[in-house]
Amino acid sequence: MSLDVKLTVQEILENRSFKDAEVIAGEAGLHRTVKWIHIMEVTGIDELLNGDELILSTGIGLRENNEIFLSFFKQLIDSGAAGICIELGTYIPSIPEEIIELANLHDFPLIVFYQKVRFVDITQDLHTVLIKKHYQMISDLEYFSHQLNQLLLTSHPEQKILKFLHEHLKLSVVLIPNQGETQILSRKSPKEQKKILQLLKEKNIHCHKNIAHQAIQALNQILADIYIISDSECITEYESLILDRSATALAQNTLRDLYIEERRKAKETEWIQQWLDGIHSEEQVNRYLSEIEPHFEANGCLVLLFKINQAEEENSDITLLKILFRSVFQSQGFLLLSTNRKNQLIFILLNKRKNTDWKQRMEAGIKQIQKAIDEDPKFTKLTFGIGRFIHNLSNMKDSYRTAQEALIIQERIPNDCFSNFYEDLYIFRLVAIANNHGALDDFIDDYLAPVVKYDQQNNGKLLETLKVYLKCYGSKKETAANLFIVRQTLYQRLQKLAELLGEDFMESYKRQAIEFALNAYEYLSASKKQ
């Protein structure tokens, strides 16, 4: 298989149409890639070129005006043209010395024909060569992709893929994973390899035309970055395509490894479920974690869970979800353990960083997961229950219990009070406890029954008005604005509320009881709808 899939100026000079041509300047640029042959007689280039074109010209627009010639030449160089071929004799007797100097300065090939030539024959010949090169490139890419597929069927394919890429392109290859050690395959000395790694840390890495990069992605998450580095020449289109196919193969391999690892972890379910039930001591938990990750010390932990239906429980999509969660939250500084129980998928998140910003990192991870789920049609929107953050690992039962409560409460509270975190459910935690003890109905009757009855009989809006009025801390102006009613209508409603609840309904203790009753009423109403 040949890697000679690009056409250079030097190779074009070997074509039969160029047997009488001469390179009079810019010989150092004969290695330049030519992507197209273009006849150009205009002197204003503007945006006519894409770059890497070999220009053919009779010079009809350049004769007897060195300033126009010089301007035209500078435009060609700035546009990234590969070189220019000029026919001498008919319109231009010779090339000005300043043009030759400029071509040499920029290694811009300047080729002349001393006799009249047929540009139509040149373009036909060279375009035929370009088409053959293109087909060769497609054939080589197919061969390379086939070899990658064969390597994926072997054991430990990652190293083999990187080695194959390195040997195929004869370029330095660098793999930088999110977790794990950087790998570099290069013929350079260790000192030069160190310089390459330092270069890749630069923020303006994309400015280097001799470096190409691809992210290795799975489940909308970047798992690693792979680079190829050329010693001098720009990275070609073919080399970029080869890199892209290699990155795809590495992503497939990584996803397969994660899938196998997730299946293995599923077998550890029994021990994890005992931990959630509070059976294991702190010492037993630490010993178990040290087997998973030596020298690991958790700086607090918590439980995150969400519901799954029975059909999904054994579905491979659940394994993909686990992989997604593990990838996202590991990048946020958590070690994850997972299990299934009673149509719930449960994650134990062990904090590996400082415990002052655990919540912000959790929120960032949830946003990433929700975005990935929204973009993947096979997943449905998830509602998470996140339990209390605990410092003693043997108290995992408490975080699990509060995560379950958070999930139940979320289904019954207003959208404006919604939170994934148990600690942010505020008054609704008390509402849930009171409901479990059967105390809510009596409490609501004691403090809200007249208003509820009035609204039901008169199709009124006193409950809504009361809620907004309390939320606005008794500000009539703000309440009227939020309800989109005039002040007079509000006064009439408040007067009715005073008749039903008593003139003292805004006094401290009674107001707190009414607010609690309002929240309890919404909680029970949501339960009845379900």
Side-chain angles (χ1 to χ4, degrees), residues 352-367:
K352 302 173 75 173
R353 301 179 189 169
K354 59 183 181 180
N355 58 21
T356 54
D357 65 346
W358 69 268
K359 190 173 181 180
Q360 291 89 333
R361 289 185 279 121
M362 284 290 297
E363 289 172 337
I366 288 171
K367 284 183 181 178

Side-chain angles (χ1 to χ4, degrees), residues 162 165-166 169 171-178 182-186 196-206 208 210-216 222 224-230 235 239-240 242-244 246-247 250:
L162 293 175
L165 173 63
H166 169 59
L169 295 182
L171 301 177
S172 297
V173 176
V174 180
L175 178 70
I176 305 178
N178 287 353
T182 295
Q183 299 184 57
I184 180 167
L185 286 79
S186 176
I196 290 175
L197 295 177
Q198 189 63 36
L199 177 64
L200 296 181
K201 293 179 181 179
E202 295 181 8
K203 292 183 179 179
N204 61 340
I205 187 70
H206 298 291
H208 297 275
N210 64 325
I211 299 176
H213 159 259
Q214 274 289 339
I216 297 173
I222 297 177
D225 293 282
I226 186 169
Y227 301 85
I228 53 173
I229 302 100
S230 172
I235 298 296
E239 290 164 343
S240 294
I242 287 291
L243 177 63
D244 179 69
S246 300
L250 289 168

Side-chain angles (χ1 to χ4, degrees), residues 337-350:
L337 301 175
S338 64
T339 185
N340 296 9
R341 174 187 279 189
K342 296 178 181 177
N343 75 326
Q344 289 179 344
L345 185 54
I346 306 166
F347 291 96
I348 297 175
L349 289 88
L350 297 128

Side-chain angles (χ1 to χ4, degrees), residues 280-479:
H280 299 307
S281 67
E282 190 86 7
E283 182 182 352
Q284 289 174 317
V285 173
N286 284 322
R287 191 185 309 124
Y288 178 80
L289 294 178
S290 66
E291 292 174 1
I292 297 175
E293 188 170 319
H295 312 297
F296 171 72
E297 291 185 11
N299 194 13
C301 59
L302 70 159
V303 170
L304 177 151
L305 57 84
F306 58 88
K307 287 184 177 179
I308 53 176
N309 59 48
Q310 192 170 8
E312 291 174 329
E313 195 162 347
E314 297 300 325
N315 196 307
S316 61
D317 289 348
I318 293 299
T319 301
L320 293 176
L321 268 179
K322 289 181 180 180
I323 294 170
L324 173 62
F325 270 74
R326 192 175 306 281
S327 172
V328 168
F329 282 114
Q330 279 184 345
S331 68
Q332 293 293 341
F334 295 95
L335 174 66
L336 261 70
L337 301 175
S338 64
T339 185
N340 296 9
R341 174 187 279 189
K342 296 178 181 177
N343 75 326
Q344 289 179 344
L345 185 54
I346 306 166
F347 291 96
I348 297 175
L349 289 88
L350 297 128
N351 185 31
K352 302 173 75 173
R353 301 179 189 169
K354 59 183 181 180
N355 58 21
T356 54
D357 65 346
W358 69 268
K359 190 173 181 180
Q360 291 89 333
R361 289 185 279 121
M362 284 290 297
E363 289 172 337
I366 288 171
K367 284 183 181 178
Q368 290 183 54
I369 289 169
Q370 288 286 20
K371 182 180 179 183
I373 288 173
D374 290 343
E375 293 174 354
D376 196 328
K378 67 174 168 286
F379 294 130
T380 55
K381 189 171 179 65
L382 304 176
T383 300
F384 306 105
I386 301 176
R388 184 182 284 123
F389 187 85
I390 60 171
H391 299 277
N392 190 330
L393 300 184
S394 60
N395 290 341
M396 188 61 69
K397 183 178 181 179
D398 181 52
S399 186
Y400 176 49
R401 175 185 60 80
T402 51
Q404 288 178 308
E405 290 182 14
L407 203 59
I408 294 170
I409 294 171
Q410 284 170 10
E411 297 173 347
R412 302 174 180 178
I413 62 176
N415 289 333
D416 57 349
C417 301
F418 184 87
S419 174
N420 292 299
F421 296 87
Y422 177 75
E423 64 176 34
D424 291 341
L425 295 173
Y426 307 121
I427 193 69
F428 289 102
R429 288 164 54 179
L430 286 176
V431 171
I433 293 171
N435 184 51
N436 291 337
H437 288 81
L440 281 190
D441 287 323
D442 288 342
F443 196 90
I444 292 169
D445 284 343
D446 289 342
Y447 293 99
L448 273 188
V451 178
V452 173
K453 186 176 180 181
Y454 180 88
D455 275 359
Q456 289 172 347
Q457 291 177 346
N458 300 281
N459 195 26
K461 295 189 176 181
L462 291 187
L463 269 177
E464 180 188 9
T465 302
L466 179 60
K467 180 181 178 181
V468 176
Y469 187 57
L470 293 173
K471 188 175 181 180
C472 295
Y473 305 105
S475 169
K476 296 180 177 63
K477 180 180 179 182
E478 191 177 343
T479 303

Side-chain angles (χ1 to χ4, degrees), residues 87-102:
E87 181 187 280
L88 297 181
T90 306
Y91 302 107
I92 298 180
S94 62
I95 304 296
E97 190 61 35
E98 56 264 41
I99 299 297
I100 294 175
E101 291 177 1
L102 186 63

